[in-house]
Amino acid sequence: MKKSNFAALLLGTASGLLFALGMCMALVDSWGAFRSGVALGCAGVLMGLITVWVWRKMEGRGPVRFSARRVLHLGLGVAGALILGVGICLCLVWGRMLAGVGVGVAGIFLLLGLIPLTRGLRD
């Protein structure tokens, strides 16, 4: 494993944990830690952006260039993750198992659709 990939692995894991813990703190009412949860979640997002910057620097790549296609892929990924999350909420929070599974599967298919869009299909 290259040093750049290992650094990205460690930093990405830490940023994901910070973000997830922050969102749990913000969204679980019984914890009573909304403000500190939002701050911790924002720190996780910032650390994720720093992770991308550090990895690209170590790989010798330039800054990320945005195109319409890249923004479309990003939007599809965000939409798929949100739809999957709504499906999980339907199952676990609101007790609507059948609807939750259906919505969650739709989100999974949207996320799976990113693979041929970004990498293409080859023989």
Side-chain angles (χ1 to χ4, degrees), residues 49-102:
L49 293 173
I50 291 170
T51 300
V52 171
W53 180 76
V54 166
W55 181 78
R56 290 187 72 84
K57 267 299 199 205
M58 290 179 80
E59 287 286 316
R61 296 181 180 200
V64 177
R65 287 178 273 129
F66 289 101
S67 64
R69 183 177 180 187
R70 187 165 286 178
V71 171
L72 174 72
H73 293 171
L74 181 67
L76 184 63
V78 168
L82 287 174
I83 291 172
L84 177 60
V86 167
I88 292 170
C89 285
L90 280 168
C91 289
L92 298 178
V93 177
W94 298 309
R96 312 250 347 232
M97 187 63 72
L98 189 59
V101 169

Short mmCIF file of all heavy atoms in Angstrom, two decimals, residues 49-102:
data_model
loop_
_atom_site.label_atom_id
_atom_site.label_comp_id
_atom_site.label_asym_id
_atom_site.label_seq_id
_atom_site.Cartn_x
_atom_site.Cartn_y
_atom_site.Cartn_z
N LEU A 49 -12.50 17.11 3.67
CA LEU A 49 -11.96 17.95 2.61
C LEU A 49 -10.44 18.04 2.70
O LEU A 49 -9.74 18.02 1.68
CB LEU A 49 -12.59 19.34 2.69
CG LEU A 49 -14.08 19.41 2.36
CD1 LEU A 49 -14.61 20.80 2.65
CD2 LEU A 49 -14.34 19.00 0.93
N ILE A 50 -9.92 18.11 3.92
CA ILE A 50 -8.47 18.12 4.10
C ILE A 50 -7.87 16.80 3.64
O ILE A 50 -6.79 16.77 3.05
CB ILE A 50 -8.11 18.43 5.58
CG1 ILE A 50 -8.48 19.87 5.91
CG2 ILE A 50 -6.65 18.14 5.88
CD1 ILE A 50 -8.40 20.21 7.38
N THR A 51 -8.58 15.71 3.87
CA THR A 51 -8.10 14.40 3.43
C THR A 51 -7.94 14.36 1.92
O THR A 51 -6.92 13.87 1.41
CB THR A 51 -9.09 13.30 3.87
OG1 THR A 51 -9.19 13.30 5.28
CG2 THR A 51 -8.66 11.94 3.38
N VAL A 52 -8.93 14.88 1.19
CA VAL A 52 -8.83 14.91 -0.27
C VAL A 52 -7.65 15.77 -0.70
O VAL A 52 -6.88 15.39 -1.59
CB VAL A 52 -10.15 15.44 -0.89
CG1 VAL A 52 -10.00 15.68 -2.37
CG2 VAL A 52 -11.29 14.48 -0.61
N TRP A 53 -7.47 16.92 -0.06
CA TRP A 53 -6.36 17.80 -0.40
C TRP A 53 -5.01 17.13 -0.14
O TRP A 53 -4.12 17.18 -1.00
CB TRP A 53 -6.49 19.10 0.40
CG TRP A 53 -5.39 20.07 0.11
CD1 TRP A 53 -5.26 20.87 -1.00
CD2 TRP A 53 -4.25 20.33 0.92
NE1 TRP A 53 -4.12 21.61 -0.91
CE2 TRP A 53 -3.48 21.30 0.26
CE3 TRP A 53 -3.82 19.84 2.14
CZ2 TRP A 53 -2.29 21.78 0.78
CZ3 TRP A 53 -2.64 20.33 2.66
CH2 TRP A 53 -1.89 21.28 1.99
N VAL A 54 -4.87 16.49 1.02
CA VAL A 54 -3.60 15.82 1.36
C VAL A 54 -3.32 14.68 0.39
O VAL A 54 -2.20 14.53 -0.10
CB VAL A 54 -3.64 15.30 2.83
CG1 VAL A 54 -2.51 14.32 3.10
CG2 VAL A 54 -3.59 16.46 3.80
N TRP A 55 -4.33 13.87 0.08
CA TRP A 55 -4.12 12.75 -0.82
C TRP A 55 -3.70 13.22 -2.21
O TRP A 55 -2.78 12.69 -2.81
CB TRP A 55 -5.39 11.90 -0.91
CG TRP A 55 -5.22 10.72 -1.81
CD1 TRP A 55 -4.57 9.56 -1.53
CD2 TRP A 55 -5.68 10.61 -3.16
NE1 TRP A 55 -4.61 8.72 -2.61
CE2 TRP A 55 -5.29 9.35 -3.63
CE3 TRP A 55 -6.40 11.46 -4.00
CZ2 TRP A 55 -5.58 8.92 -4.91
CZ3 TRP A 55 -6.68 11.01 -5.27
CH2 TRP A 55 -6.28 9.76 -5.72
N ARG A 56 -4.37 14.26 -2.71
CA ARG A 56 -4.03 14.77 -4.04
C ARG A 56 -2.62 15.37 -4.05
O ARG A 56 -1.90 15.25 -5.03
CB ARG A 56 -5.07 15.78 -4.50
CG ARG A 56 -6.41 15.11 -4.81
CD ARG A 56 -7.39 16.04 -5.42
NE ARG A 56 -7.08 16.39 -6.79
CZ ARG A 56 -7.41 15.68 -7.86
NH1 ARG A 56 -8.06 14.54 -7.71
NH2 ARG A 56 -7.11 16.09 -9.07
N LYS A 57 -2.23 16.02 -2.96
CA LYS A 57 -0.87 16.56 -2.86
C LYS A 57 0.16 15.43 -2.88
O LYS A 57 1.19 15.52 -3.56
CB LYS A 57 -0.69 17.34 -1.56
CG LYS A 57 -0.93 18.80 -1.59
CD LYS A 57 -0.02 19.51 -2.51
CE LYS A 57 -0.02 20.97 -2.12
NZ LYS A 57 0.32 21.83 -3.21
N MET A 58 -0.09 14.36 -2.12
CA MET A 58 0.85 13.24 -2.04
C MET A 58 0.94 12.49 -3.36
O MET A 58 1.98 11.92 -3.67
CB MET A 58 0.45 12.29 -0.90
CG MET A 58 0.67 12.89 0.48
SD MET A 58 0.18 11.78 1.79
CE MET A 58 1.62 10.72 1.87
N GLU A 59 -0.14 12.49 -4.12
CA GLU A 59 -0.15 11.82 -5.42
C GLU A 59 0.39 12.71 -6.53
O GLU A 59 0.56 12.26 -7.65
CB GLU A 59 -1.58 11.39 -5.78
CG GLU A 59 -2.09 10.22 -4.99
CD GLU A 59 -1.46 8.91 -5.41
OE1 GLU A 59 -1.34 8.65 -6.62
OE2 GLU A 59 -1.08 8.14 -4.51
N GLY A 60 0.64 13.98 -6.24
CA GLY A 60 1.16 14.90 -7.24
C GLY A 60 0.10 15.37 -8.23
O GLY A 60 0.42 15.73 -9.36
N ARG A 61 -1.15 15.36 -7.83
CA ARG A 61 -2.24 15.78 -8.71
C ARG A 61 -2.60 17.23 -8.42
O ARG A 61 -2.38 17.74 -7.33
CB ARG A 61 -3.47 14.91 -8.49
CG ARG A 61 -3.22 13.47 -8.86
CD ARG A 61 -4.45 12.67 -8.65
NE ARG A 61 -4.20 11.27 -9.01
CZ ARG A 61 -5.13 10.42 -9.29
NH1 ARG A 61 -6.39 10.77 -9.23
NH2 ARG A 61 -4.84 9.18 -9.61
N GLY A 62 -3.20 17.85 -9.40
CA GLY A 62 -3.62 19.23 -9.25
C GLY A 62 -4.95 19.31 -8.52
O GLY A 62 -5.50 18.31 -8.06
N PRO A 63 -5.49 20.51 -8.41
CA PRO A 63 -6.78 20.67 -7.73
C PRO A 63 -7.90 20.01 -8.54
O PRO A 63 -7.78 19.79 -9.74
CB PRO A 63 -6.97 22.19 -7.66
CG PRO A 63 -6.03 22.76 -8.65
CD PRO A 63 -4.92 21.77 -8.84
N VAL A 64 -8.98 19.70 -7.86
CA VAL A 64 -10.13 19.06 -8.50
C VAL A 64 -10.79 20.08 -9.43
O VAL A 64 -11.07 21.21 -9.04
CB VAL A 64 -11.15 18.58 -7.43
CG1 VAL A 64 -12.37 17.99 -8.09
CG2 VAL A 64 -10.50 17.56 -6.51
N ARG A 65 -11.00 19.67 -10.68
CA ARG A 65 -11.70 20.53 -11.64
C ARG A 65 -13.14 20.06 -11.75
O ARG A 65 -13.41 18.88 -11.92
CB ARG A 65 -11.03 20.45 -13.01
CG ARG A 65 -9.69 21.19 -13.04
CD ARG A 65 -9.01 21.07 -14.38
NE ARG A 65 -8.21 19.83 -14.33
CZ ARG A 65 -8.25 18.88 -15.25
NH1 ARG A 65 -9.01 18.99 -16.30
NH2 ARG A 65 -7.52 17.80 -15.12
N PHE A 66 -14.07 21.00 -11.64
CA PHE A 66 -15.48 20.67 -11.69
C PHE A 66 -16.01 20.83 -13.11
O PHE A 66 -15.72 21.82 -13.77
CB PHE A 66 -16.28 21.55 -10.73
CG PHE A 66 -16.04 21.22 -9.29
CD1 PHE A 66 -15.20 21.98 -8.52
CD2 PHE A 66 -16.64 20.10 -8.73
CE1 PHE A 66 -14.96 21.66 -7.21
CE2 PHE A 66 -16.41 19.77 -7.41
CZ PHE A 66 -15.57 20.55 -6.65
N SER A 67 -16.76 19.84 -13.54
CA SER A 67 -17.44 19.90 -14.82
C SER A 67 -18.90 19.57 -14.57
O SER A 67 -19.28 19.14 -13.48
CB SER A 67 -16.82 18.90 -15.80
OG SER A 67 -17.02 17.57 -15.34
N ALA A 68 -19.71 19.74 -15.59
CA ALA A 68 -21.13 19.43 -15.45
C ALA A 68 -21.32 17.94 -15.15
O ALA A 68 -22.17 17.56 -14.34
CB ALA A 68 -21.89 19.82 -16.71
N ARG A 69 -20.51 17.12 -15.77
CA ARG A 69 -20.62 15.67 -15.55
C ARG A 69 -20.27 15.31 -14.11
O ARG A 69 -20.95 14.51 -13.47
CB ARG A 69 -19.70 14.94 -16.52
CG ARG A 69 -19.80 13.46 -16.41
CD ARG A 69 -18.94 12.78 -17.43
NE ARG A 69 -19.09 11.34 -17.27
CZ ARG A 69 -18.39 10.46 -17.90
NH1 ARG A 69 -17.49 10.84 -18.78
NH2 ARG A 69 -18.57 9.18 -17.68
N ARG A 70 -19.21 15.90 -13.58
CA ARG A 70 -18.79 15.61 -12.21
C ARG A 70 -19.84 16.08 -11.20
O ARG A 70 -20.13 15.40 -10.23
CB ARG A 70 -17.45 16.26 -11.92
CG ARG A 70 -16.90 15.86 -10.56
CD ARG A 70 -15.47 16.20 -10.42
NE ARG A 70 -14.69 15.26 -11.21
CZ ARG A 70 -13.37 15.30 -11.34
NH1 ARG A 70 -12.70 16.23 -10.74
NH2 ARG A 70 -12.74 14.42 -12.06
N VAL A 71 -20.44 17.23 -11.46
CA VAL A 71 -21.49 17.75 -10.58
C VAL A 71 -22.72 16.85 -10.65
O VAL A 71 -23.37 16.58 -9.63
CB VAL A 71 -21.83 19.21 -10.94
CG1 VAL A 71 -23.05 19.69 -10.20
CG2 VAL A 71 -20.63 20.11 -10.65
N LEU A 72 -23.05 16.33 -11.84
CA LEU A 72 -24.16 15.39 -11.99
C LEU A 72 -23.92 14.11 -11.20
O LEU A 72 -24.80 13.62 -10.49
CB LEU A 72 -24.40 15.05 -13.46
CG LEU A 72 -25.44 13.98 -13.74
CD1 LEU A 72 -26.84 14.53 -13.47
CD2 LEU A 72 -25.34 13.49 -15.17
N HIS A 73 -22.71 13.58 -11.29
CA HIS A 73 -22.37 12.37 -10.53
C HIS A 73 -22.44 12.64 -9.03
O HIS A 73 -22.94 11.80 -8.27
CB HIS A 73 -20.98 11.88 -10.89
CG HIS A 73 -20.88 11.37 -12.29
ND1 HIS A 73 -19.68 11.05 -12.88
CD2 HIS A 73 -21.81 11.13 -13.24
CE1 HIS A 73 -19.88 10.64 -14.10
NE2 HIS A 73 -21.17 10.68 -14.35
N LEU A 74 -21.96 13.78 -8.60
CA LEU A 74 -22.01 14.14 -7.18
C LEU A 74 -23.47 14.26 -6.72
O LEU A 74 -23.83 13.75 -5.66
CB LEU A 74 -21.27 15.45 -6.95
CG LEU A 74 -21.22 15.96 -5.52
CD1 LEU A 74 -20.38 15.02 -4.67
CD2 LEU A 74 -20.65 17.36 -5.50
N GLY A 75 -24.29 14.91 -7.52
CA GLY A 75 -25.71 15.04 -7.18
C GLY A 75 -26.41 13.70 -7.10
O GLY A 75 -27.24 13.46 -6.21
N LEU A 76 -26.09 12.80 -8.03
CA LEU A 76 -26.69 11.47 -8.01
C LEU A 76 -26.25 10.69 -6.77
O LEU A 76 -27.06 10.00 -6.15
CB LEU A 76 -26.33 10.69 -9.28
CG LEU A 76 -26.95 9.32 -9.43
CD1 LEU A 76 -28.47 9.43 -9.52
CD2 LEU A 76 -26.41 8.62 -10.66
N GLY A 77 -24.99 10.83 -6.39
CA GLY A 77 -24.51 10.16 -5.18
C GLY A 77 -25.18 10.69 -3.92
O GLY A 77 -25.58 9.92 -3.05
N VAL A 78 -25.33 12.00 -3.84
CA VAL A 78 -25.99 12.60 -2.68
C VAL A 78 -27.46 12.17 -2.64
O VAL A 78 -27.98 11.80 -1.57
CB VAL A 78 -25.85 14.14 -2.71
CG1 VAL A 78 -26.76 14.80 -1.71
CG2 VAL A 78 -24.40 14.53 -2.46
N ALA A 79 -28.13 12.20 -3.79
CA ALA A 79 -29.54 11.79 -3.83
C ALA A 79 -29.71 10.32 -3.44
O ALA A 79 -30.61 9.97 -2.67
CB ALA A 79 -30.11 12.03 -5.23
N GLY A 80 -28.83 9.45 -3.95
CA GLY A 80 -28.91 8.04 -3.60
C GLY A 80 -28.68 7.80 -2.12
O GLY A 80 -29.39 7.00 -1.49
N ALA A 81 -27.71 8.51 -1.54
CA ALA A 81 -27.44 8.35 -0.10
C ALA A 81 -28.61 8.86 0.73
O ALA A 81 -28.99 8.24 1.73
CB ALA A 81 -26.16 9.08 0.27
N LEU A 82 -29.20 9.98 0.33
CA LEU A 82 -30.35 10.51 1.07
C LEU A 82 -31.56 9.59 0.97
O LEU A 82 -32.27 9.36 1.96
CB LEU A 82 -30.70 11.91 0.57
CG LEU A 82 -29.74 13.02 0.98
CD1 LEU A 82 -30.13 14.32 0.29
CD2 LEU A 82 -29.73 13.18 2.48
N ILE A 83 -31.81 9.05 -0.21
CA ILE A 83 -32.96 8.14 -0.37
C ILE A 83 -32.73 6.87 0.43
O ILE A 83 -33.66 6.35 1.07
CB ILE A 83 -33.21 7.86 -1.86
CG1 ILE A 83 -33.72 9.14 -2.53
CG2 ILE A 83 -34.18 6.72 -2.07
CD1 ILE A 83 -33.83 9.06 -4.03
N LEU A 84 -31.52 6.35 0.43
CA LEU A 84 -31.21 5.18 1.26
C LEU A 84 -31.42 5.50 2.74
O LEU A 84 -31.98 4.70 3.49
CB LEU A 84 -29.77 4.72 1.01
CG LEU A 84 -29.27 3.55 1.84
CD1 LEU A 84 -30.10 2.32 1.62
CD2 LEU A 84 -27.81 3.28 1.53
N GLY A 85 -31.00 6.69 3.17
CA GLY A 85 -31.20 7.10 4.55
C GLY A 85 -32.66 7.23 4.92
O GLY A 85 -33.08 6.87 6.02
N VAL A 86 -33.48 7.74 4.00
CA VAL A 86 -34.92 7.84 4.25
C VAL A 86 -35.51 6.44 4.40
O VAL A 86 -36.36 6.19 5.26
CB VAL A 86 -35.61 8.63 3.12
CG1 VAL A 86 -37.12 8.48 3.20
CG2 VAL A 86 -35.23 10.09 3.20
N GLY A 87 -35.05 5.50 3.58
CA GLY A 87 -35.52 4.12 3.71
C GLY A 87 -35.17 3.52 5.06
O GLY A 87 -35.98 2.84 5.69
N ILE A 88 -33.96 3.80 5.54
CA ILE A 88 -33.56 3.31 6.85
C ILE A 88 -34.41 3.95 7.94
O ILE A 88 -34.84 3.28 8.89
CB ILE A 88 -32.05 3.57 7.07
CG1 ILE A 88 -31.23 2.69 6.13
CG2 ILE A 88 -31.65 3.31 8.51
CD1 ILE A 88 -29.76 3.03 6.09
N CYS A 89 -34.67 5.25 7.81
CA CYS A 89 -35.52 5.94 8.79
C CYS A 89 -36.94 5.37 8.78
O CYS A 89 -37.56 5.22 9.84
CB CYS A 89 -35.56 7.43 8.52
SG CYS A 89 -34.06 8.28 8.99
N LEU A 90 -37.47 5.09 7.61
CA LEU A 90 -38.80 4.50 7.53
C LEU A 90 -38.85 3.19 8.30
O LEU A 90 -39.83 2.90 9.00
CB LEU A 90 -39.21 4.28 6.07
CG LEU A 90 -39.72 5.50 5.31
CD1 LEU A 90 -39.80 5.18 3.82
CD2 LEU A 90 -41.07 5.92 5.83
N CYS A 91 -37.81 2.39 8.18
CA CYS A 91 -37.78 1.09 8.87
C CYS A 91 -37.57 1.25 10.37
O CYS A 91 -38.30 0.66 11.17
CB CYS A 91 -36.66 0.22 8.31
SG CYS A 91 -36.95 -0.39 6.65
N LEU A 92 -36.57 2.01 10.76
CA LEU A 92 -36.13 2.02 12.15
C LEU A 92 -36.84 3.04 13.03
O LEU A 92 -37.01 2.82 14.23
CB LEU A 92 -34.62 2.25 12.22
CG LEU A 92 -33.77 1.18 11.54
CD1 LEU A 92 -32.30 1.56 11.62
CD2 LEU A 92 -34.01 -0.18 12.15
N VAL A 93 -37.21 4.17 12.46
CA VAL A 93 -37.79 5.24 13.28
C VAL A 93 -39.30 5.22 13.22
O VAL A 93 -39.98 5.31 14.24
CB VAL A 93 -37.24 6.61 12.84
CG1 VAL A 93 -37.89 7.74 13.62
CG2 VAL A 93 -35.72 6.65 13.00
N TRP A 94 -39.85 5.11 12.01
CA TRP A 94 -41.29 5.22 11.85
C TRP A 94 -42.01 3.88 11.76
O TRP A 94 -43.23 3.84 11.65
CB TRP A 94 -41.61 6.07 10.62
CG TRP A 94 -41.08 7.47 10.75
CD1 TRP A 94 -41.27 8.30 11.81
CD2 TRP A 94 -40.26 8.16 9.83
NE1 TRP A 94 -40.62 9.48 11.59
CE2 TRP A 94 -39.99 9.43 10.38
CE3 TRP A 94 -39.73 7.85 8.58
CZ2 TRP A 94 -39.22 10.37 9.74
CZ3 TRP A 94 -38.97 8.80 7.94
CH2 TRP A 94 -38.72 10.04 8.51
N GLY A 95 -41.28 2.76 11.81
CA GLY A 95 -41.89 1.44 11.85
C GLY A 95 -42.62 1.04 10.58
O GLY A 95 -43.52 0.22 10.63
N ARG A 96 -42.27 1.58 9.44
CA ARG A 96 -42.90 1.26 8.16
C ARG A 96 -41.94 0.37 7.36
O ARG A 96 -41.26 0.84 6.45
CB ARG A 96 -43.22 2.54 7.41
CG ARG A 96 -43.91 3.59 8.23
CD ARG A 96 -45.33 3.89 7.94
NE ARG A 96 -45.86 3.37 6.72
CZ ARG A 96 -46.49 4.10 5.83
NH1 ARG A 96 -46.65 5.37 6.04
NH2 ARG A 96 -46.99 3.54 4.76
N MET A 97 -41.88 -0.88 7.72
CA MET A 97 -40.87 -1.79 7.20
C MET A 97 -40.95 -1.97 5.68
O MET A 97 -39.95 -1.84 4.98
CB MET A 97 -40.99 -3.15 7.89
CG MET A 97 -39.89 -4.11 7.53
SD MET A 97 -38.26 -3.55 8.03
CE MET A 97 -38.34 -3.74 9.77
N LEU A 98 -42.12 -2.25 5.16
CA LEU A 98 -42.26 -2.53 3.73
C LEU A 98 -41.90 -1.30 2.89
O LEU A 98 -41.14 -1.39 1.93
CB LEU A 98 -43.68 -3.00 3.42
CG LEU A 98 -43.91 -3.53 2.01
CD1 LEU A 98 -43.01 -4.72 1.74
CD2 LEU A 98 -45.37 -3.92 1.84
N ALA A 99 -42.42 -0.14 3.27
CA ALA A 99 -42.09 1.09 2.55
C ALA A 99 -40.60 1.41 2.68
O ALA A 99 -39.96 1.84 1.72
CB ALA A 99 -42.93 2.25 3.07
N GLY A 100 -40.05 1.20 3.86
CA GLY A 100 -38.63 1.48 4.09
C GLY A 100 -37.72 0.61 3.25
O GLY A 100 -36.73 1.09 2.70
N VAL A 101 -38.06 -0.66 3.13
CA VAL A 101 -37.25 -1.56 2.30
C VAL A 101 -37.32 -1.12 0.85
O VAL A 101 -36.32 -1.08 0.13
CB VAL A 101 -37.69 -3.02 2.50
CG1 VAL A 101 -37.06 -3.93 1.46
CG2 VAL A 101 -37.34 -3.50 3.89
N GLY A 102 -38.51 -0.77 0.38
CA GLY A 102 -38.66 -0.33 -1.01
C GLY A 102 -37.87 0.93 -1.31
O GLY A 102 -37.15 1.02 -2.32
#
